[in-house]
Amino acid sequence: MLAALPLLFTPGCRKPANDQGDISIEESIAPQPVRAGTETITFRLTNRSHQPVAGARVQVEGDMSHPGMAPVFAGAREIAPGDYRAPLNFSMGGDWVILFHINLSDGRKVERQMDVKGVESN
Ligand SMILES: [Cu+2]
């Protein structure tokens, strides 16, 4: 699974264009600027009709692009229908890629990703 990660580093993949394109994700991260340590990732899932997608189980994974670095994981909590939050521990400064492993309540699986570049070192 980890060996396949570089294939996900394709340009423009923040657009929900490829798989399961009816699910959109809007994400933000706080506090800013992003520093090494625990940051809060907040995201909203919506469907094609812009309705919130509730009841998804989401695991958030943080990866760095250089070898020898273990990924970090966090489970997301749904704080309102379609709104989710996860505390993710950025274990070092640098460029990160966040993967959202989304299990929808209807059983479908969706993957989304977010680039977080230039995380500051502590
Ligand atoms: Cu690293």
Side-chain angles (χ1 to χ4, degrees), residues 63-70 91-96:
D63 293 284
M64 295 190 85
S65 53
H66 64 89
M69 180 89 188
S91 46
M92 64 180 278
D95 295 339
W96 288 76

Side-chain angles (χ1 to χ4, degrees), residues 43-56:
F43 56 98
R44 167 172 292 188
L45 299 178
T46 52
N47 63 17
R48 195 185 295 276
S49 332
H50 308 289
Q51 297 304 306
V53 175

